[in-house]
Short mmCIF file of all heavy atoms in Angstrom, two decimals:
data_model
loop_
_atom_site.label_atom_id
_atom_site.label_comp_id
_atom_site.label_asym_id
_atom_site.label_seq_id
_atom_site.Cartn_x
_atom_site.Cartn_y
_atom_site.Cartn_z
N GLN A 1201 50.38 124.26 -8.80
CA GLN A 1201 49.85 123.58 -9.95
C GLN A 1201 50.63 123.95 -11.14
O GLN A 1201 51.40 125.01 -11.16
CB GLN A 1201 48.36 123.92 -10.16
CG GLN A 1201 47.49 123.26 -9.06
CD GLN A 1201 47.52 121.90 -9.01
OE1 GLN A 1201 47.38 121.12 -10.02
NE2 GLN A 1201 47.99 121.33 -7.85
N PRO A 1202 50.65 123.18 -12.32
CA PRO A 1202 51.47 123.54 -13.44
C PRO A 1202 51.06 124.87 -13.95
O PRO A 1202 49.93 125.27 -13.99
CB PRO A 1202 51.06 122.45 -14.42
CG PRO A 1202 50.64 121.29 -13.58
CD PRO A 1202 50.02 121.85 -12.41
N LEU A 1203 52.10 125.61 -14.45
CA LEU A 1203 51.91 126.90 -15.07
C LEU A 1203 51.38 126.70 -16.49
O LEU A 1203 51.78 125.73 -17.17
CB LEU A 1203 53.26 127.60 -15.12
CG LEU A 1203 53.72 128.10 -13.76
CD1 LEU A 1203 55.26 128.31 -13.78
CD2 LEU A 1203 53.01 129.40 -13.32
N THR A 1204 50.52 127.57 -16.98
CA THR A 1204 49.99 127.58 -18.33
C THR A 1204 50.46 128.74 -19.05
O THR A 1204 50.97 129.75 -18.47
CB THR A 1204 48.42 127.48 -18.31
OG1 THR A 1204 47.92 128.73 -17.79
CG2 THR A 1204 47.98 126.35 -17.39
N LYS A 1205 50.09 128.81 -20.34
CA LYS A 1205 50.42 129.95 -21.27
C LYS A 1205 49.78 131.21 -20.61
O LYS A 1205 50.33 132.27 -20.76
CB LYS A 1205 49.90 129.63 -22.61
CG LYS A 1205 50.28 130.69 -23.63
CD LYS A 1205 49.84 130.23 -25.02
CE LYS A 1205 50.32 131.20 -26.10
NZ LYS A 1205 49.99 132.61 -25.84
N ARG A 1206 48.62 131.04 -19.99
CA ARG A 1206 47.97 132.28 -19.43
C ARG A 1206 48.84 132.89 -18.44
O ARG A 1206 49.04 134.18 -18.40
CB ARG A 1206 46.60 131.93 -18.81
CG ARG A 1206 45.80 133.17 -18.42
CD ARG A 1206 44.57 132.87 -17.57
NE ARG A 1206 44.91 132.33 -16.26
CZ ARG A 1206 44.04 132.35 -15.31
NH1 ARG A 1206 42.82 132.75 -15.41
NH2 ARG A 1206 44.37 131.84 -14.08
N GLU A 1207 49.48 132.18 -17.49
CA GLU A 1207 50.34 132.74 -16.52
C GLU A 1207 51.58 133.47 -17.16
O GLU A 1207 51.95 134.47 -16.71
CB GLU A 1207 50.76 131.75 -15.46
CG GLU A 1207 49.61 131.43 -14.42
CD GLU A 1207 48.64 130.45 -15.05
OE1 GLU A 1207 49.05 129.37 -15.54
OE2 GLU A 1207 47.44 130.68 -14.89
N PHE A 1208 52.19 132.74 -18.10
CA PHE A 1208 53.32 133.34 -18.74
C PHE A 1208 52.95 134.68 -19.35
O PHE A 1208 53.67 135.67 -19.26
CB PHE A 1208 53.79 132.46 -20.03
CG PHE A 1208 54.26 131.04 -19.57
CD1 PHE A 1208 53.93 129.98 -20.43
CD2 PHE A 1208 54.86 130.77 -18.39
CE1 PHE A 1208 54.32 128.70 -20.09
CE2 PHE A 1208 55.27 129.50 -18.05
CZ PHE A 1208 54.97 128.49 -18.90
N ASP A 1209 51.77 134.70 -20.09
CA ASP A 1209 51.35 135.92 -20.72
C ASP A 1209 50.90 137.00 -19.71
O ASP A 1209 51.09 138.21 -19.97
CB ASP A 1209 50.22 135.62 -21.80
CG ASP A 1209 50.72 134.77 -22.97
OD1 ASP A 1209 51.97 134.74 -23.10
OD2 ASP A 1209 49.92 134.26 -23.63
N LEU A 1210 50.27 136.56 -18.62
CA LEU A 1210 49.92 137.58 -17.57
C LEU A 1210 51.15 138.22 -16.99
O LEU A 1210 51.25 139.40 -16.78
CB LEU A 1210 49.10 136.92 -16.50
CG LEU A 1210 47.64 136.62 -16.84
CD1 LEU A 1210 46.97 135.71 -15.74
CD2 LEU A 1210 46.82 137.89 -16.95
N ALA A 1211 52.21 137.40 -16.77
CA ALA A 1211 53.41 137.94 -16.22
C ALA A 1211 54.10 138.91 -17.17
O ALA A 1211 54.51 139.99 -16.75
CB ALA A 1211 54.36 136.77 -15.91
N ALA A 1212 54.14 138.45 -18.43
CA ALA A 1212 54.68 139.42 -19.43
C ALA A 1212 53.91 140.73 -19.58
O ALA A 1212 54.51 141.89 -19.68
CB ALA A 1212 54.73 138.70 -20.80
N SER A 1213 52.61 140.65 -19.38
CA SER A 1213 51.78 141.84 -19.53
C SER A 1213 51.94 142.71 -18.39
O SER A 1213 52.05 143.94 -18.64
CB SER A 1213 50.30 141.36 -19.63
OG SER A 1213 50.13 140.40 -20.71
N VAL A 1214 51.84 142.26 -17.19
CA VAL A 1214 52.03 143.18 -16.04
C VAL A 1214 53.43 143.72 -16.00
O VAL A 1214 53.56 144.91 -15.56
CB VAL A 1214 51.62 142.55 -14.71
CG1 VAL A 1214 52.56 141.50 -14.18
CG2 VAL A 1214 51.28 143.59 -13.64
N GLN A 1215 54.40 142.95 -16.42
CA GLN A 1215 55.77 143.53 -16.42
C GLN A 1215 55.91 144.67 -17.45
O GLN A 1215 56.49 145.62 -17.14
CB GLN A 1215 56.79 142.41 -16.73
CG GLN A 1215 58.21 142.86 -16.64
CD GLN A 1215 58.63 143.26 -15.29
OE1 GLN A 1215 58.45 142.59 -14.25
NE2 GLN A 1215 59.24 144.46 -15.28
N SER A 1216 55.30 144.36 -18.62
CA SER A 1216 55.27 145.45 -19.68
C SER A 1216 54.70 146.74 -19.15
O SER A 1216 55.13 147.81 -19.32
CB SER A 1216 54.50 144.92 -20.88
OG SER A 1216 54.26 145.95 -21.81
N VAL A 1217 53.50 146.64 -18.47
CA VAL A 1217 52.83 147.86 -17.95
C VAL A 1217 53.68 148.45 -16.82
O VAL A 1217 53.82 149.70 -16.81
CB VAL A 1217 51.43 147.44 -17.41
CG1 VAL A 1217 50.81 148.65 -16.67
CG2 VAL A 1217 50.55 147.01 -18.71
N THR A 1218 54.29 147.63 -15.98
CA THR A 1218 55.12 148.15 -14.91
C THR A 1218 56.34 148.89 -15.43
O THR A 1218 56.58 150.00 -15.07
CB THR A 1218 55.62 147.09 -14.01
OG1 THR A 1218 54.44 146.35 -13.44
CG2 THR A 1218 56.52 147.50 -12.98
N ASP A 1219 56.93 148.38 -16.50
CA ASP A 1219 58.07 148.99 -17.14
C ASP A 1219 57.62 150.38 -17.62
O ASP A 1219 58.36 151.39 -17.49
CB ASP A 1219 58.55 148.21 -18.32
CG ASP A 1219 59.13 146.88 -17.96
OD1 ASP A 1219 59.52 146.67 -16.76
OD2 ASP A 1219 59.33 146.00 -18.82
N GLU A 1220 56.52 150.47 -18.29
CA GLU A 1220 56.02 151.67 -18.84
C GLU A 1220 55.77 152.71 -17.82
O GLU A 1220 56.16 153.87 -17.96
CB GLU A 1220 54.81 151.30 -19.65
CG GLU A 1220 54.06 152.49 -20.33
CD GLU A 1220 52.69 152.04 -20.89
OE1 GLU A 1220 52.58 150.90 -21.38
OE2 GLU A 1220 51.80 152.89 -20.75
N VAL A 1221 55.17 152.34 -16.71
CA VAL A 1221 54.84 153.23 -15.64
C VAL A 1221 56.10 153.71 -15.04
O VAL A 1221 56.34 154.96 -14.80
CB VAL A 1221 53.90 152.61 -14.58
CG1 VAL A 1221 53.68 153.60 -13.40
CG2 VAL A 1221 52.57 152.22 -15.15
N VAL A 1222 57.02 152.87 -14.70
CA VAL A 1222 58.33 153.21 -14.09
C VAL A 1222 59.06 154.20 -15.00
O VAL A 1222 59.68 155.21 -14.57
CB VAL A 1222 59.14 152.01 -13.65
CG1 VAL A 1222 60.52 152.36 -13.17
CG2 VAL A 1222 58.38 151.23 -12.57
N LEU A 1223 59.11 153.90 -16.31
CA LEU A 1223 59.77 154.86 -17.27
C LEU A 1223 59.16 156.21 -17.16
O LEU A 1223 59.90 157.18 -17.19
CB LEU A 1223 59.70 154.25 -18.61
CG LEU A 1223 60.77 153.17 -18.91
CD1 LEU A 1223 60.45 152.50 -20.23
CD2 LEU A 1223 62.19 153.71 -19.01
N ARG A 1224 57.87 156.32 -17.15
CA ARG A 1224 57.17 157.63 -17.13
C ARG A 1224 57.52 158.34 -15.83
O ARG A 1224 57.74 159.53 -15.83
CB ARG A 1224 55.69 157.44 -17.32
CG ARG A 1224 55.25 156.98 -18.69
CD ARG A 1224 53.81 157.04 -18.91
NE ARG A 1224 53.32 156.45 -20.12
CZ ARG A 1224 52.10 156.49 -20.55
NH1 ARG A 1224 51.14 157.14 -19.99
NH2 ARG A 1224 51.79 155.84 -21.75
N LEU A 1225 57.48 157.52 -14.70
CA LEU A 1225 57.79 158.15 -13.42
C LEU A 1225 59.21 158.69 -13.50
O LEU A 1225 59.51 159.77 -12.92
CB LEU A 1225 57.61 157.13 -12.33
CG LEU A 1225 56.15 156.70 -12.01
CD1 LEU A 1225 56.14 155.48 -11.07
CD2 LEU A 1225 55.36 157.88 -11.40
N ALA A 1226 60.14 157.92 -14.04
CA ALA A 1226 61.52 158.36 -14.12
C ALA A 1226 61.72 159.63 -14.96
O ALA A 1226 62.46 160.58 -14.53
CB ALA A 1226 62.37 157.22 -14.80
N ARG A 1227 60.90 159.77 -15.99
CA ARG A 1227 60.96 160.93 -16.85
C ARG A 1227 60.46 162.14 -16.07
O ARG A 1227 61.03 163.22 -16.11
CB ARG A 1227 60.23 160.79 -18.18
CG ARG A 1227 60.92 159.83 -19.10
CD ARG A 1227 60.32 159.86 -20.58
NE ARG A 1227 61.06 158.91 -21.32
CZ ARG A 1227 60.54 157.64 -21.46
NH1 ARG A 1227 59.36 157.29 -21.10
NH2 ARG A 1227 61.28 156.71 -22.24
N THR A 1228 59.42 161.92 -15.29
CA THR A 1228 58.81 163.01 -14.47
C THR A 1228 59.82 163.44 -13.42
O THR A 1228 59.95 164.59 -13.14
CB THR A 1228 57.55 162.51 -13.85
OG1 THR A 1228 56.53 162.33 -14.87
CG2 THR A 1228 57.04 163.58 -12.86
N ALA A 1229 60.46 162.36 -12.84
CA ALA A 1229 61.50 162.77 -11.77
C ALA A 1229 62.63 163.57 -12.44
O ALA A 1229 63.01 164.62 -11.78
CB ALA A 1229 62.10 161.51 -11.22
N ARG A 1230 62.99 163.32 -13.56
CA ARG A 1230 64.01 164.18 -14.25
C ARG A 1230 63.58 165.55 -14.54
O ARG A 1230 64.20 166.52 -14.23
CB ARG A 1230 64.47 163.46 -15.58
CG ARG A 1230 65.43 164.19 -16.46
CD ARG A 1230 66.84 163.86 -16.01
NE ARG A 1230 67.74 164.26 -17.15
CZ ARG A 1230 68.39 165.42 -17.16
NH1 ARG A 1230 68.11 166.35 -16.19
NH2 ARG A 1230 69.21 165.75 -18.20
N ALA A 1231 62.29 165.64 -15.04
CA ALA A 1231 61.73 166.90 -15.39
C ALA A 1231 61.48 167.80 -14.13
O ALA A 1231 61.74 168.96 -14.20
CB ALA A 1231 60.43 166.68 -16.19
N ARG A 1232 60.94 167.14 -13.13
CA ARG A 1232 60.60 167.94 -11.94
C ARG A 1232 61.77 168.31 -11.07
O ARG A 1232 61.65 169.31 -10.32
CB ARG A 1232 59.64 167.04 -11.04
CG ARG A 1232 58.26 166.79 -11.69
CD ARG A 1232 57.31 167.90 -11.70
NE ARG A 1232 56.85 168.23 -10.40
CZ ARG A 1232 55.70 167.86 -9.88
NH1 ARG A 1232 54.89 167.01 -10.50
NH2 ARG A 1232 55.32 168.30 -8.64
N THR A 1233 62.92 167.65 -11.11
CA THR A 1233 64.04 167.95 -10.29
C THR A 1233 65.21 168.63 -11.10
O THR A 1233 66.02 169.26 -10.54
CB THR A 1233 64.58 166.71 -9.58
OG1 THR A 1233 65.10 165.83 -10.52
CG2 THR A 1233 63.50 166.04 -8.71
N GLY A 1234 65.30 168.28 -12.37
CA GLY A 1234 66.40 168.70 -13.18
C GLY A 1234 67.69 167.97 -12.93
O GLY A 1234 68.68 168.30 -13.48
N GLU A 1235 67.60 166.92 -12.13
CA GLU A 1235 68.74 166.19 -11.76
C GLU A 1235 69.17 165.11 -12.81
O GLU A 1235 68.29 164.63 -13.49
CB GLU A 1235 68.52 165.42 -10.41
CG GLU A 1235 68.42 166.40 -9.23
CD GLU A 1235 69.74 167.17 -8.85
OE1 GLU A 1235 70.73 166.67 -9.35
OE2 GLU A 1235 69.66 168.13 -8.09
N ARG A 1236 70.41 164.85 -12.89
CA ARG A 1236 70.90 163.89 -13.89
C ARG A 1236 71.17 162.50 -13.21
O ARG A 1236 71.67 161.60 -13.90
CB ARG A 1236 72.18 164.36 -14.56
CG ARG A 1236 71.91 165.67 -15.27
CD ARG A 1236 73.12 166.33 -15.71
NE ARG A 1236 73.75 165.49 -16.79
CZ ARG A 1236 74.51 165.94 -17.75
NH1 ARG A 1236 74.70 167.18 -17.86
NH2 ARG A 1236 74.97 165.10 -18.64
#
Side-chain angles (χ1 to χ4, degrees):
Chain A
Q1201 291 301 302
L1203 290 157
T1204 70
K1205 187 172 184 310
R1206 186 187 73 160
E1207 283 79 49
F1208 300 143
D1209 292 345
L1210 284 171
S1213 303
V1214 72
Q1215 185 62 51
S1216 168
V1217 172
T1218 298
D1219 293 344
E1220 181 188 320
V1221 175
V1222 171
L1223 278 168
R1224 291 189 190 188
L1225 289 171
R1227 289 195 184 96
T1228 295
R1230 177 87 164 90
R1232 296 282 294 261
T1233 65
E1235 292 289 347
R1236 300 173 64 151

